[in-house]
Amino acid sequence: MRRFLAATLAAAALSAPAADRPPLPYEAKGTHLGVVNCASSLCHGSISEWKGSNVLQNEYVTWSRVDKHALRAAQVLTGERSRRIAANLGLKQPAHEAKVCVDCHGHNPPAERRGERFKASDGIGCEACHGPAEGWIRSHVAPGATHERNVADGLYPTADPVALARLCLSCHFGNKDKFVTHRIMGAGHPRISFELDTFTQTQPPHFVADADWERRKGRWDGVRVWAIGQALAAQEQLDVILDPRRGRDGLFPELVVFDCHACHHPMSDTRWKPRVGTRPGAIRFNDANLLMLRQIVRATFPADAASFDELVLQLHRGVAGEGGDALEAARRLRKGLDGVVAKLRGREFGDRDLKAIAAGLVDDGVAGHYGDYAGAEQAAMAVASVMNFLARRGALGDVRAANAALDRLFETVKDDEKYRAERFRAALSGLRALLGR
Ligand code: HEC
Ligand code: HEC
Ligand code: HEC
Ligand code: HEC
């Protein structure tokens, strides 16, 4: 029974790990030239979109005017809140000079890989996502340039959903090199939430995945992007508990991978309700991504759905000391997810899949699976993404009613401290009818 994707051990062979893992921009070998090299009005700094070009040409304008990576990320480090965080942590440098902060709130490649015109004050610039430009800045505008060729020359493959997820998560959750620990949160850092498809849409995007984009870069399927984002987020989180160095902090495990609100709420507000896999007085693993993967596994590997659920249950039991081996479950989930990602790469989601996923999310929610805020928040973003696709494909009956119902749903997850599972469930049931059930 317990063989989540054991049958797809071949899937491990399917995903060639090396090709899957191009160096992240901060790890790459080339020289980072600086935003100024991309910003000319004849390059990516045009005021308006160019009609005859493959790309919009106004990416710099979008980035510098409305993208928080340019406007806020670095500036935030000189503010009052960051001063307090740095002081609470006892950092020797101010936040805007401390590697632990600038690695995520800026673009911080090693000194020897910075060109003459590279400026740290540019914030999270083009090369923080697209990779050091030295290798491709000339060739990517030469006649006959192709996307494959640019990537071979060191352009980071942002169009590939697996590479994209690794890139965004490296800062929006953290990885082996940089990570917002509970120690940093305890010093005053805000909780981080992330969902790849939603955040790609709200960045806001400076690209349009139209027919021309797809001809150059392959198909953009937002549901696939969502699904791959969930799998990689779960893997990053499981990596933390599996790593003896990152997974512990003194006597306690690293607390960031658990449900924040299991600990953070007033004692007078008694919330305990029986739930499978846990017990009163236990902290709970933050299973938000795993709850989303439950739907993804069901839609993509129906034969493995039961064993996936079983492993998640074993993880919860182990965390609560109720008789499962949490680390063993984490290891097997981690490995099985490699197979899921390999298969998702080529997966096309049709209207029926989308409706099944949306309905599964709604049904699980109504059945009470999203008792913790983090799961509810992910479910709300997922339902919205999936319904948005259905609407764009013309497969959703009443779009206006759907938008109103989604607004009511988001209202219930607006503030994590005021989250009430009953209200979330009620709002979800309002969506059920719209999905034709
Ligand atoms: C692993 C990456 C990472 C690290 C390390 C990190 N941060 Fe952050 N930080 C983020 C992300 C991502 C957000 C945005 C959270 C959101 O809005 O979802 C954020 C948000 C913030 C905010 C709130 C920003 C706002 O717009 O209100 C402050 C302040 C902050 N970080 C300061 C710091 C300081 C100081 C350090 C160093 C001690 C630090 N951060 C380390 C990723 C990181
Ligand atoms: C936070 C990450 C991030 C930053 C910062 C960023 N980009 Fe992008 N960019 C993306 C993503 C994601 C895509 C979409 C995937 C793709 O087309 O490869 C993209 C796509 C593009 C495209 C291709 C559009 C197409 O149709 O092929 C261009 C050109 C571009 N970005 C230029 C820039 C420039 C110039 C800057 C700096 C001013 C910049 N980007 C900063 C993430 C980023
Ligand atoms: C180098 C680190 C880094 C990378 C890579 C990165 N981000 Fe961010 N991102 C941040 C930080 C830090 C913030 C917080 C800015 C602030 O509010 O102070 C942020 C903010 C955002 C926001 C605004 C969130 C809000 O609360 O308003 C969105 C959306 C976003 N990022 C999407 C993405 C996406 C999509 C990718 C991948 C293409 C990505 N980011 C890659 C560091 C990064
Ligand atoms: C196992 C219980 C536990 C979990 C889970 C937990 N925390 Fe904490 N948290 C604590 C304790 C204990 C403190 C220290 C409280 C104190 O100093 O008074 C703390 C302190 C904090 C503080 C500083 C509060 C203050 O009064 O200065 C923040 C912010 C915070 N945690 C955020 C989070 C976030 C975000 C998460 C989830 C990602 C989380 N915590 C998960 C137990 C937990």
Side-chain angles (χ1 to χ4, degrees), residues 64-379:
S64 61
R65 292 199 182 154
V66 285
D67 192 321
K68 285 196 178 164
H69 296 109
L71 293 176
R72 275 187 67 83
Q75 185 194 324
V76 151
L77 294 184
T78 53
E80 179 46 38
R81 187 165 189 179
S82 292
R83 246 198 306 281
R84 188 159 43 86
I85 297 174
N88 288 347
L89 289 171
L91 299 183
K92 296 205 178 64
Q93 291 154 308
H96 67 278
E97 288 171 11
K99 182 171 160 50
V100 59
C101 309
V102 185
D103 276 353
C104 288
H105 285 267
H107 180 36
N108 197 24
E112 68 276 14
R113 298 211 194 105
R114 298 179 180 199
E116 273 164 31
R117 299 211 283 170
F118 179 93
K119 280 203 345 244
S121 58
D122 283 337
I124 302 173
C126 319
E127 290 164 293
C129 290
H130 293 295
E134 184 188 23
W136 48 266
I137 191 151
R138 287 216 174 75
S139 54
H140 87 297
V141 289
T146 63
H147 183 58
E148 287 74 26
R149 182 60 207 287
N150 296 336
V151 169
D153 289 341
L155 181 80
Y156 188 79
T158 40
D160 170 62
V162 178
L164 180 72
R166 283 187 63 231
L167 169 69
C168 308
L169 283 166
S170 71
C171 296
H172 284 271
F173 176 74
N175 62 12
K176 62 179 180 16
D177 297 326
K178 40 187 181 174
F179 182 42
V180 184
T181 56
H182 186 260
R183 184 178 295 234
I184 298 179
M185 299 230 165
H189 196 281
R191 193 181 69 89
I192 297 187
S193 76
F194 188 70
E195 192 276 284
L196 187 58
D197 179 56
T198 306
F199 274 58
T200 303
Q201 300 311 321
T202 51
Q203 188 183 346
H206 48 254
F207 69 102
V208 185
D210 53 11
D212 163 67
W213 189 95
E214 297 202 335
R215 201 163 37 248
R216 290 180 287 120
K217 299 184 167 176
R219 224 170 90 76
W220 176 275
D221 179 326
V223 176
R224 178 164 62 200
V225 169
W226 166 71
I228 287 177
Q230 292 296 327
L232 269 87
Q235 285 191 319
E236 285 293 354
Q237 199 194 1
L238 294 167
D239 278 347
V240 174
I241 58 171
L242 289 170
D243 178 346
R245 194 175 45 90
R246 291 167 73 205
R248 296 201 71 80
D249 190 11
L251 188 59
F252 287 92
E254 167 55 58
L255 297 181
V256 157
V257 298
F258 298 97
D259 175 41
C260 314
H261 304 288
C263 297
H264 289 286
H265 66 83
M267 268 188 263
S268 56
D269 174 16
T270 51
R271 301 180 175 188
W272 163 254
K273 289 207 186 61
R275 225 186 299 174
V276 186
T278 184
R279 59 162 169 90
I283 60 172
R284 294 182 296 277
F285 190 74
N286 175 351
D287 59 2
N289 302 121
L290 295 172
L291 285 167
M292 300 302 104
L293 283 161
R294 185 174 139 89
Q295 307 304 333
I296 295 158
V297 170
R298 272 199 219 159
T300 308
F301 301 95
D304 288 281
S307 57
F308 174 80
D309 290 350
E310 178 66 32
L311 279 175
V312 174
L313 185 61
Q314 188 186 328
L315 176 67
H316 280 306
R317 287 220 168 97
V319 166
E322 292 288 273
D325 181 343
L327 291 183
E328 172 60 16
R331 229 171 268 124
R332 289 170 60 181
L333 281 167
R334 171 84 184 63
K335 188 140 182 257
L337 287 174
D338 278 339
V340 171
V341 171
K343 180 133 178 215
L344 283 174
R345 275 180 177 285
R347 179 84 160 88
E348 305 264 334
F349 289 92
D351 291 354
R352 281 187 49 188
D353 297 315
L354 298 189
K355 284 195 173 153
I357 289 175
L361 289 162
V362 169
D363 289 347
D364 271 8
V366 172
H369 285 274
Y370 310 134
D372 294 327
Y373 174 78
E377 181 191 39
Q378 283 294 334

